[in-house]
C-alpha cells in the first residue's frame, strides 16, 4: 500500500518549506515520493517553489478547486485513483491554508482508495509567532487543522545566538523563505541573553493560543511540549527528527463542526501580468500591507517584475527570480476591498 501523509498549516506558516525538507529526506532514504498540491485556490504558486525537487524519485501533482468543496473533493479522489498505479511509495498532501481536514479522512476511507492507500502521519505546521488576536474564523481553522495531528511542528522560532551564526552562513534557521541578509539583521537585533528561556516562552505562548482555540471548538485535546510538539530550527533537523515525524501518526478526536466557507475566513485575490519596476512593486506591496482601507491584508505572495515576493507583517522577502515563470500576485486577507486592492496593481488581469 501507498503511505499518505497530510501536512496542514495556517496561511504563511511554512508548509511548503517544510515539505521540501521532508521530501528530500524521504527520497534520500529510497522512497518514491509524490507531492500532491491540494489547493482550493484558482492558481497555485507553491508548485513553482517546489520545482527543484523534481526528479525520477519525486514528482508533483496538483488538484485545483475554486468551484465548491464537493467538486474539489471529487477531483481529489480522482487524482488519487490515477496516481495509485504509478509506483509511488509515499504521497505528501499539502492543502491550502484553508482546509477541511475531514475531507482528507473521508476520501481515504472510500473504496477503492482504502485498499490502495494507508494513512501515515498528519503533521500540522504552526507559526511560533501566532497572533493572539486571531479572528474567530481563524481560530476555528487553526484548531481544526491541528486537532488530528500526530505532531505539531513549530516554525519561525525566535532567533538565538547559534541561529545568528547559521544565518550569517546563509542558512534559514528554521524560518520559511528566509533571506540570509534580512535574517542576519533580525538575528543581531533579537538575540536574547537567555535563548532557552526566550524559546520556551514563545512555545508556551503559542500553545496557549492553540489550546484556547481547541477549547472554543469544544475539543478535549490539549497540546503539550515536548510530547506533542517539535520545536527546533529546521536547518538542524536530523534523521531522528524525521523518523519521529514519519511515525507520528494521527489522532481521532471530535470537535464542534462549523460551516466555514473560504470566503467567510479568508479571501484570495489574484492579479496577473502586472508590469512595473522591481522598486515600484516593493513600494506598492508594502504600502498595501499597511493600508487599513484595503481590509486586513495578511499575506502578499507571488512572482512579478522579476521578483519572487512573500510578504507578511513579520516577514518581507523580495528575491530575484531564479527561473522565468508566469507573473501572478496573490493578496490574502480578511474583509478585503477588491476595488482598493486592485488600485495598487493598475492594468493587471484579475482572476
Amino acid at each position: 500500500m501507498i503511505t499518505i501523509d497530510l501536512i496542514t498549516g495556517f496561511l504563511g506558516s511554512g508548509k511548503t518549506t517544510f515539505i521540501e525538507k521532508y521530501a528530500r529526506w524521504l527520497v534520500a532514504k529510497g522512497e518514491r515520493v509524490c507531492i500532491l498540491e491540494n489547493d482550493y485556490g484558482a492558481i497555485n504558486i507553491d508548485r513553482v517553489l517546489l520545482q527543484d525537487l523534481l526528479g525520477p524519485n519525486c514528482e508533483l501533482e496538483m488538484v485545483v478547486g475554486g468551484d465548491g468543496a464537493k467538486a474539489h473533493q471529487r477531483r481529489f479522489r480522482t487524482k488519487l485513483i490515477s496516481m495509485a498505479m504509478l509506483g509511488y511509495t509515499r504521497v505528501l498532501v499539502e492543502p491550502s491554508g484553508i482546509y477541511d481536514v475531514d475531507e482528507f479522512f473521508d476520501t481515504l476511507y472510500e473504496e477503492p482508495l482504502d485498499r490502495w492507500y494507508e494513512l501515515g502521519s498528519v503533521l500540522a505546521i504552526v507559526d511560533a509567532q501566532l497572533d493572539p488576536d486571531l479572528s474567530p474564523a481563524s481560530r476555528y481553522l487553526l484548531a481544526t487543522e491541528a486537532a488530528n495531528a500526530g505532531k505539531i511542528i513549530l516554525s519561525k522560532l525566535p532567533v538565538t545566538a547559534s541561529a545568528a551564526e547559521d544565518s550569517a552562513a546563509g542558512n534559514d534557521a528554521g524560518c520559511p523563505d528566509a533571506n540570509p541578509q534580512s535574517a542576519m539583521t533580525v538575528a543581531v537585533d533579537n538575540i536574547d541573553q537567555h535563548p532557552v528561556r526566550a524559546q520556551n516562552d514563545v512555545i508556551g505562548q503559542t500553545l496557549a493560543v492553540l489550546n484556547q482555540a481547541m477549547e472554543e471548538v469544544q475539543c478535549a485535546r490539549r497540546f503539550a511540549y515536548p510530547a506533542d510538539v517539535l520545536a527546533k530550527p529546521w536547518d538542524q533537523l536530523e534523521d531522528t527528527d524525521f523518523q519521529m515525524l514519519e511515525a507520528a501518526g494521527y489522532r481521532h478526536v471530535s470537535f464542534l463542526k462549523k460551516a466555514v466557507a473560504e470566503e467567510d475566513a479568508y479571501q484570495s485575490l489574484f492579479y496577473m501580468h502586472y508590469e512595473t519596476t522591481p522598486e515600484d512593486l516593493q513600494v506598492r506591496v508594502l504600502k498595501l500591507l499597511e493600508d487599513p482601507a484595503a481590509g486586513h491584508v495578511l499575506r502578499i505572495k507571488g512572482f512579478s517584475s522579476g521578483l519572487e515576493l512573500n510578504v507578511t507583517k513579520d516577514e518581507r522577502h523580495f528575491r530575484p527570480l531564479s527561473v522565468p515563470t508566469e507573473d501572478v500576485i496573490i493578496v490574502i486577507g480578511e474583509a478585503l476591498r477588491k476595488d482598493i486592492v486592485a488600485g495598487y496593481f493598475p492594468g493587471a488581469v484579475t482572476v
Side-chain angles (χ1 to χ4, degrees):
M1 297 181 77
I2 304 166
T3 303
I4 184 166
D5 296 335
L6 177 68
I7 293 89
T8 69
F10 221 39
L11 288 162
S13 61
K15 293 192 304 295
T16 304
T17 302
F18 171 77
I19 284 174
E20 181 180 13
K21 295 179 181 297
Y22 186 35
R24 287 189 188 281
W25 179 80
L26 290 169
V27 169
K29 78 183 192 75
E31 299 265 16
R32 185 156 186 260
V33 177
C34 181
I35 300 170
L36 180 55
E37 292 281 327
N38 187 33
D39 203 324
Y40 275 108
I43 300 172
N44 187 316
I45 69 167
D46 289 339
R47 182 183 179 92
V48 178
L49 302 177
L50 291 167
Q51 287 297 322
D52 288 345
L53 278 173
L54 285 175
N57 292 315
C58 187
E59 299 183 23
L60 289 166
E61 295 285 349
M62 184 166 61
V63 178
V64 178
D67 57 353
K70 288 186 178 179
H72 176 268
Q73 184 171 359
R74 184 172 62 252
R75 283 196 289 272
F76 178 45
R77 181 178 185 275
T78 301
K79 176 63 73 172
L80 288 177
I81 290 174
S82 68
M83 291 166 50
M85 305 303 173
L86 298 180
Y88 300 118
T89 61
R90 175 84 57 160
V91 173
L92 308 181
V93 177
E94 179 187 7
S96 68
I98 305 160
Y99 184 66
D100 183 351
V101 176
D102 282 346
E103 175 189 310
F104 175 76
F105 288 103
D106 291 346
T107 303
L108 290 181
Y109 290 148
E110 294 179 0
E111 292 187 346
L113 295 178
D114 61 345
R115 292 185 279 111
W116 298 339
Y117 292 90
E118 62 179 354
L119 282 165
S121 294
V122 175
L123 307 173
I125 313 300
V126 175
D127 188 340
Q129 309 295 330
L130 266 181
D131 184 351
D133 298 320
L134 289 171
S135 69
S138 296
R139 291 198 303 273
Y140 173 78
L141 289 168
L142 174 66
T144 58
E145 291 177 354
N148 299 105
K151 208 74 173 180
I152 301 294
I153 305 168
L154 293 188
S155 65
K156 307 177 190 176
L157 287 164
V159 179
T160 63
S162 60
E165 295 171 359
D166 290 338
S167 296
N171 296 327
D172 63 10
C175 178
D177 304 318
N179 175 290
Q181 183 175 354
S182 62
M184 183 58 186
T185 301
V186 172
V188 171
D189 290 343
N190 292 285
I191 295 174
D192 193 278
Q193 296 302 313
H194 303 281
V196 173
R197 184 179 67 192
Q199 178 166 298
N200 287 341
D201 287 347
V202 169
I203 294 170
Q205 292 165 7
T206 302
L207 293 185
V209 175
L210 179 55
N211 286 331
Q212 176 63 34
M214 300 296 290
E215 182 176 346
E216 291 173 3
V217 299
Q218 300 179 24
C219 181
R221 188 177 185 190
R222 298 294 183 269
F223 297 97
Y225 176 74
D228 305 306
V229 179
L230 175 63
K232 187 175 185 179
W234 289 359
D235 64 323
Q236 297 176 19
L237 295 178
E238 302 172 342
D239 280 352
T240 53
D241 298 312
F242 286 116
Q243 289 166 2
M244 177 266 293
L245 296 174
E246 182 186 28
Y250 55 95
R251 304 291 185 272
H252 287 294
V253 298
S254 61
F255 54 83
L256 180 64
K257 188 89 172 182
K258 297 180 181 179
V260 178
E262 185 172 5
E263 59 271 16
D264 293 334
Y266 295 110
Q267 296 165 278
S268 297
L269 305 180
F270 299 82
Y271 303 92
M272 301 186 68
H273 309 303
Y274 175 61
E275 297 182 2
T276 187
T277 65
E279 295 76 15
D280 181 64
L281 177 66
Q282 293 183 52
V283 170
R284 289 176 179 272
V285 165
L286 295 178
K287 186 176 179 181
L288 171 59
L289 186 70
E290 304 294 338
D291 186 356
H296 187 195
V297 178
L298 296 169
R299 188 182 187 192
I300 306 170
K301 65 178 184 177
F303 310 99
S304 181
S305 307
L307 295 177
E308 173 194 332
L309 54 145
N310 189 2
V311 178
T312 68
K313 68 175 183 178
D314 298 315
E315 298 179 87
R316 302 182 178 189
H317 301 306
F318 299 87
R319 295 191 186 84
L321 284 172
S322 56
V323 294
T325 188
E326 186 173 29
D327 283 3
V328 56
I329 298 171
I330 305 178
V331 180
I332 303 167
E334 298 175 291
L336 296 179
R337 288 282 305 276
K338 293 182 180 181
D339 55 336
I340 294 177
V341 175
Y344 281 88
F345 309 111
V349 177
T350 60
V351 179

